[in-house]
Amino acid sequence: MLEPYIAKDQPIEVMGSGSKRSIGRPMQTAATISTASMHGIWMYEPNELVMSAHAGTPVAQIEAELSAQNQMLAFEPIDMGPASGGRRGTQTIGSVFACNSSGSRRVTIGAARDHLLGIEGVTGGSELFRAGGRVMKNVTGYDLCRGLSGSWGTLAVLTEVTFKVLPVPEKTATLIYLGLPDDIGVEVMCAAMRLPYEVSGTVHLPQSMAARLQHSVLVEQGQSITALRIENFAKSVEYRTNALRKALKVYGEPIVIGSTSSQEFWSEMRQLSVMPYNEGTCLWRVSTAPLNGPKVVAAIRRHMPVEVFYDWSGGLIWVEVPASADAGASDVRRAVAVHGGHATLIRADASVRSSVEVFQPQSPLAERLMRGLKTTFDPMRLLNPGRMYANL
Amino acid sequence: MTLKMPVPDRDTLSRSAEIIAALKKIAGEEAVIDDIDGRRTFETDALTAYRAMPLAVVLPETTEGVAEVLRYCHREKIKVVARGAGTSLCGGALPLEDAVVVGVSRMNKVLDVNFDNRTAQVQSGITNLAISAAVAEEGFFYAPDPSSQLACTLAGNLAMNSGGAHCLKYGVTTNNVLGMKVVLMDGEILELGGPHLDAEGYDLMGLMVGSEGQFGITTEATVRIIKSAEGARPMLLGFDSSEAAGSCVAGIIGSGIIPVAMEFMDRPAIEVCESFAKAGYPMDADALLIVEVEGSEDEINDLLARIAKIAEPFSPTTVQISSGPAQSAKIWKGRKSAFGAIGRISDYYCMDGTIPLSKLPEVLRRIGEICASHGLKVANIFHAGDGNLHPLILYEANDEEMAERAELAGAEILTLCVEVGGCLTGEHGVGIEKRDLMTKQFTEAELGLQMRIKSVFDPEWLLNPGKVFPLDAEAGIKVDTAA
């Protein structure tokens, strides 16, 4: 597959549909390889909760197929396309794992990487390889499925992925607490996660963010929103909603929205609809310990005006900052250095992305190991060279 | 037994007195075990058929202590075998005569627990169960639950990516780790992840977990802790064929219920466990399922009733819902003591393949045939929800010829697991036991790729060599790396 490029020593841009093309450092490549022509689901066993698809299969097609059997991609991959200037609803399943893109359910059910069971790919040396398999439990050989998750096409071209799927819960309810400041919103989310009711989504939208929702009922409230999702069989949803409400009553009485309305709301979270593409701003994705979320935001806010919303009970923060020559990188990264975690620049001009580190800088030792892995998989540095880090 | 280990390096062996003296100087007298009786404690793991007396054993108390020992061994080109509690079933912790064993058992403290962030930061020598114990006060637990959880260390769990009976719902080790501190062979200390939910850059932590002690020695980790459900209760479902039991499992999953555990036992396993534990297992069944669900009392009743209904079309011979904690404990005692119970009547060789659920009846039939053809008996225990199959091949350890037949039958069974779309090992690891079968699952190029990854972390192959890959393949890559 890659021989012609190897022969000419031509660096290649590796992509699926290109929905996340403008995330990462700008690259100098001579050609593009898209997996979009490799599509199709070739194995789906609902009773074993497993599906295999060619890497270029659109997520939309996979979700339609799963939905027909009342199943889903439980880690609800985020569509970063619209927020980063790409197209909505076009991302491929290969890219979801290559970027380890996980949505709100990550707090209970795990990340994309945790659902990846097997891969087939081609290294930068044009070697075809498989790792993992189609079974849930597999410790045969090193764990290359995890190793390649989140490598953004810089180690290998994924050609096939096999992943775990889960049943769609019978009912969903979302408890919406109104008017809480950020730190109390995070407190409520952490308190909910400390209870045995398997809350499967926790987001906090400050007032200005809630105003950007399309969900009319919630916009009308005109206040900040702290949302807790319960999913289960109908009886359990009813029981757990009441139990949660009782346990958290010091925070006020929530509005409770049902399945359909909940789906609209959580789907907006998956689309990052409150962070639409906007040339006047840059967008960061910050991951930190949940309790430190508001502290990171406060630290950044001391240097610039920001708009944020919190997912993962405070541990994932989407931070919109005014466009500038460095997208506020030094202040964002300093805040993260103090409170722990990491920051990725999701949206900024190409000029900004070539002058600041887009992905979190690594320790010299981690950098050395990453370089070693790059050399192992892609000795000529042909695949997405420099997309994550200048020397990878 | 039939597996060979690499020939010990004569030069290293001849320097043993000097090496021990140096280790004592570095780590302190009390941290080094060099007498015969002391070392004998470490000469094997839970794959007891294989033994090797290590050159010395060091038990450091700090990450820096581990780093100093590794720095010295790296400089002197001395092999190192990392060890947690030595409960590996695949020889993962088997020492080498020319290697220093570095054990983490003295590093067993809980460093920090944060219930809001739902994390526990611990030293890696802590036992699996001690993590849960440390967070039980607030009703939390650490999810992966290998059968050896009372003894096994987190360090070993991380090295082998251990699973357990409850990972259908909660995942295995790799899904429950957020941060690690690892000492590499050259003594450098690598910090990965932390209390946040995802790490950036290449997923070095994902690679490290399950690397069988060949990439580095983990000294600390931050793990996810989970709030326990309000309650949990199992039910027993007996069937007159494994087909019916397998179909019932498929039916349960297909209905949208994800039980916290679904354990399958065949008739020989039922008989042995029942006579040992008096758990109330049905003696007239050919296949038994233990299905456990979680939630409030009402939720549990609702789910178990749904499951009983799903089972109906498969004509269960027994449907018995646990009446309460005492009976639940009995039911689990039977299952959890299965290995011990079988061990009382015979030596056994425990296999650990994984298969697609739909292949269960075919695989069980062929396992029966394979064992019969070698004149051996077998009992099967199966984590039905995730496809992890544990055939226990019965033999007599002091009958060498019979032991070899058991090994042969085991290899045929694992090859069968790969053939039907599964894998060689679901949770025990490759170690030495399945080393030579790796070619059944991977091409030469794939093994080469994996071995080159090992070389990134440990270019001289000093950490836990002679495991995971066939010896001739390992010798080949060492020549390549040296060139």
Side-chain angles (χ1 to χ4, degrees):
Chain A
M1 168 188 205
L2 302 177
E3 284 88 354
Y5 308 101
I6 293 173
K8 289 189 227 154
D9 196 3
Q10 279 183 336
I12 314 157
E13 179 184 15
V14 182
M15 64 176 205
S17 71
S19 71
K20 292 179 272 291
R21 211 172 177 185
S22 57
I23 305 177
R25 302 175 70 258
M27 301 180 284
Q28 307 281 327
T29 49
T32 297
I33 281 197
S34 163
T35 57
S37 59
M38 295 184 250
H39 56 84
I41 295 160
W42 61 270
M43 191 270 287
Y44 177 28
E45 294 284 352
N47 290 340
E48 293 176 22
L49 304 174
V50 61
M51 180 183 266
S52 289
H54 297 288
T57 314
V59 169
Q61 183 186 338
I62 282 170
E63 294 195 315
E65 193 92 8
L66 288 171
S67 164
Q69 296 292 331
N70 224 9
Q71 295 189 335
M72 62 179 183
L73 291 173
F75 57 92
E76 42 185 358
I78 290 269
D79 187 353
M80 289 190 285
S84 62
R87 278 180 303 147
R88 169 188 296 258
T90 60
Q91 66 178 342
T92 61
I93 191 68
S95 79
V96 164
F97 291 108
C99 305
N100 187 27
S101 160
S102 327
S104 302
R105 223 181 263 111
R106 197 271 173 259
V107 281
T108 37
I109 213 101
R113 80 195 269 279
D114 297 307
H115 292 77
L116 186 58
L117 302 175
I119 50 173
E120 183 199 79
V122 178
T123 66
S126 205
E127 276 177 315
L128 182 76
F129 68 96
R130 285 175 165 275
R134 58 168 286 188
V135 288
M136 301 283 166
K137 255 176 162 175
N138 185 347
V139 293
T140 321
Y142 300 145
D143 191 352
L144 299 196
C145 289
R146 249 52 57 203
L148 281 133
S149 295
S151 64
W152 290 78
T154 61
L155 293 177
V157 182
L158 291 181
T159 52
E160 251 174 54
V161 287
T162 300
F163 44 92
K164 178 181 173 182
V165 301
L166 282 173
V168 175
E170 190 176 280
K171 285 270 186 273
T172 303
T174 306
L175 285 73
I176 310 270
Y177 290 83
L178 296 171
L180 302 178
D182 291 10
D183 54 344
I184 306 297
V186 168
E187 193 181 303
V188 170
M189 296 193 284
C190 289
M193 297 304 293
R194 289 179 69 152
L195 296 167
Y197 307 123
E198 300 178 304
V199 171
S200 71
T202 48
V203 296
H204 174 78
L205 298 143
Q207 188 184 352
S208 55
M209 275 288 126
R212 293 188 190 176
L213 284 167
Q214 286 146 26
H215 196 292
S216 54
V217 176
L218 297 180
V219 174
E220 277 166 20
Q221 307 300 322
Q223 299 183 66
S224 74
I225 279 173
T226 310
L228 311 174
R229 177 171 59 187
I230 295 279
E231 303 171 291
N232 216 304
F233 291 104
K235 261 186 169 171
S236 287
V237 168
E238 193 190 325
Y239 162 71
R240 291 176 183 212
T241 303
N242 286 329
L244 202 56
R245 186 192 255 159
K246 227 181 264 171
L248 300 175
K249 66 172 185 285
V250 293
Y251 300 104
E253 190 56 30
I255 303 175
V256 179
I257 57 175
S259 292
T260 313
S261 187
S262 288
Q263 257 125 43
E264 280 170 37
F265 174 74
W266 292 100
S267 154
E268 280 200 61
M269 296 299 101
R270 270 188 75 178
Q271 309 290 338
L272 294 178
S273 76
V274 295
M275 292 288 185
Y277 183 75
N278 175 347
E279 280 185 355
T281 61
C282 298
L283 180 62
W284 289 88
R285 179 184 180 279
V286 174
S287 179
T288 187
L291 282 184
N292 291 349
K295 295 179 198 160
V296 171
V297 170
I300 301 173
R301 197 165 264 153
R302 277 200 282 278
H303 302 279
M304 64 194 101
V306 295
E307 294 285 354
V308 302
F309 87 87
Y310 301 82
D311 202 336
W312 298 1
S313 77
L316 175 68
I317 317 155
W318 297 90
V319 185
E320 196 183 77
V321 302
S324 68
D326 77 338
S330 50
D331 295 320
V332 171
R333 290 251 157 77
R334 203 173 303 131
V336 167
V338 172
H339 299 289
H342 61 77
T344 314
L345 182 55
I346 298 295
R347 179 179 75 230
D349 263 4
S351 62
V352 178
R353 286 182 283 117
S354 46
S355 63
V356 304
E357 289 288 1
V358 170
F359 290 86
Q360 181 73 22
Q362 300 287 306
S363 70
L365 177 55
E367 214 174 82
R368 189 185 86 204
L369 294 169
M370 284 170 45
R371 248 192 339 266
L373 289 171
K374 175 74 173 173
T375 308
T376 297
F377 279 89
D378 181 20
M380 295 176 70
R381 276 188 83 236
L382 299 183
L383 306 179
N384 281 353
R387 183 174 188 183
M388 288 184 81
Y389 299 98
N391 55 8
L392 289 188
Chain B
M1 302 301 263
T2 55
L3 292 162
K4 300 278 173 287
M5 289 309 288
V7 181
D9 179 57
R10 277 212 200 143
D11 177 52
T12 307
L13 292 179
S14 69
R15 291 165 53 212
S16 62
E18 168 207 328
I19 293 167
I20 289 163
L23 289 172
K24 284 184 174 172
K25 205 168 156 207
I26 293 165
E29 292 269 346
E30 69 294 340
V32 178
I33 296 167
D34 63 328
D35 60 299
I36 286 268
D37 289 337
R39 283 184 291 149
R40 185 160 292 131
T41 318
F42 297 87
E43 70 176 353
T44 186
D45 56 17
L47 188 68
T48 49
Y50 292 88
R51 282 161 205 273
M53 189 70 90
L55 195 155
V57 178
V58 190
L59 304 174
E61 290 187 23
T62 62
T63 300
E64 192 44 50
V66 172
E68 282 176 20
V69 171
L70 292 200
R71 223 171 278 140
Y72 164 77
C73 291
H74 181 249
R75 194 172 62 230
E76 300 295 323
K77 309 291 171 237
I78 301 160
K79 294 170 194 146
V80 170
V81 176
R83 187 179 180 99
T87 56
S88 170
L89 288 159
C90 65
L94 177 72
L96 302 162
E97 285 169 35
D98 57 346
V100 172
V101 166
V102 176
V104 294
S105 56
R106 288 187 181 170
M107 292 186 276
N108 58 3
K109 292 184 199 57
V110 174
L111 302 174
D112 186 38
V113 174
N114 188 315
F115 293 107
D116 280 317
N117 290 338
R118 295 178 302 137
T119 54
Q121 191 194 355
V122 297
Q123 291 183 315
S124 69
I126 192 169
T127 61
N128 174 293
L129 207 54
I131 304 174
S132 289
V135 298
E137 204 180 326
E138 293 272 337
F140 278 71
F141 71 111
Y142 172 63
D145 62 338
S147 300
S148 54
Q149 68 184 147
L150 189 60
C152 64
T153 62
L154 179 63
N157 292 177
L158 290 164
M160 309 311 272
N161 192 13
S162 306
H166 290 74
C167 54
L168 172 59
K169 181 167 176 188
Y170 295 111
V172 296
T173 302
T174 196
N175 313 120
N176 288 281
V177 184
L178 300 173
M180 288 167 82
K181 188 183 272 191
V182 186
V183 183
L184 301 186
M185 187 60 218
D186 60 8
E188 285 212 71
I189 298 166
L190 176 66
E191 302 215 27
L192 299 168
H196 44 284
L197 277 176
D198 58 357
E200 196 158 85
Y202 292 163
D203 195 346
L204 297 176
M205 194 156 54
L207 279 174
M208 195 62 73
V209 175
S211 62
E212 303 210 5
Q214 295 197 311
F215 288 3
I217 300 182
T218 305
T219 56
E220 283 178 22
T222 302
V223 298
R224 230 156 69 96
I225 51 171
I226 298 171
K227 179 72 178 184
S228 306
E230 287 178 88
R233 201 140 40 97
M235 74 189 291
L236 294 174
L237 292 165
F239 298 91
D240 57 15
S241 73
S242 59
E243 280 88 346
S247 305
C248 182
V249 170
I252 293 168
I253 290 175
S255 78
I257 300 173
I258 302 292
V260 67
M262 267 198 283
E263 297 290 293
F264 168 101
M265 297 161 97
D266 69 0
R267 185 185 277 270
I270 299 168
E271 281 171 1
V272 176
C273 293
E274 178 59 21
S275 71
F276 176 77
K278 307 280 181 291
Y281 295 167
M283 297 295 280
D284 60 342
D286 268 325
L288 175 68
L289 290 178
I290 305 172
V291 183
E292 180 163 271
V293 296
E294 289 183 335
S296 68
E297 206 45 40
D298 282 351
E299 289 176 315
I300 289 172
N301 289 334
D302 177 49
L303 286 173
L304 292 178
R306 280 172 195 257
I307 291 169
K309 196 144 194 353
I310 292 164
E312 258 171 38
F314 310 107
S315 315
T317 52
T318 300
V319 178
Q320 199 193 341
I321 291 177
S322 161
S323 57
Q327 201 188 354
S328 302
K330 257 187 170 179
I331 288 174
W332 277 114
K333 186 182 169 209
R335 165 60 189 87
K336 289 200 168 171
S337 58
F339 292 5
I342 290 168
R344 281 170 24 131
I345 60 161
S346 169
D347 296 304
Y348 66 86
Y349 188 41
C350 175
M351 311 308 297
D352 172 47
T354 307
I355 57 167
L357 174 66
S358 57
K359 305 286 184 187
L360 179 66
E362 178 196 341
V363 169
L364 288 181
R365 180 178 52 76
R366 287 178 63 190
I367 286 176
E369 288 165 8
I370 289 169
C371 291
S373 77
H374 289 282
L376 298 163
K377 287 188 180 156
V378 62
N380 287 289
I381 287 169
F382 183 53
H383 302 303
D386 52 40
N388 193 193
L389 183 64
H390 295 306
L392 305 172
I393 305 171
L394 312 186
Y395 73 104
E396 284 164 38
N398 49 19
D399 179 342
E400 211 164 293
E401 186 273 337
M402 192 178 191
E404 276 185 29
R405 273 188 282 139
E407 265 195 358
L408 281 176
E412 284 176 40
I413 289 171
L414 293 184
T415 306
L416 167 66
C417 292
V418 176
E419 268 171 30
V420 299
C423 65
L424 293 174
T425 172
E427 57 185 3
H428 295 174
V430 178
I432 58 162
E433 187 202 19
K434 284 155 290 230
R435 185 185 71 190
D436 296 330
L437 295 172
M438 286 289 273
T439 52
K440 304 275 182 199
Q441 182 148 354
F442 297 107
T443 64
E444 203 177 313
E446 287 162 351
L447 288 178
L449 182 63
Q450 292 190 36
M451 288 191 291
R452 296 202 311 270
I453 294 172
K454 152 85 170 161
S455 297
V456 169
F457 290 88
D458 174 23
E460 288 149 296
W461 283 65
L462 293 171
L463 259 180
N464 215 13
K467 320 268 174 81
V468 184
F469 303 103
L471 288 185
D472 51 344
E474 183 181 313
I477 193 93
K478 281 184 185 162
V479 172
D480 278 0
T481 316

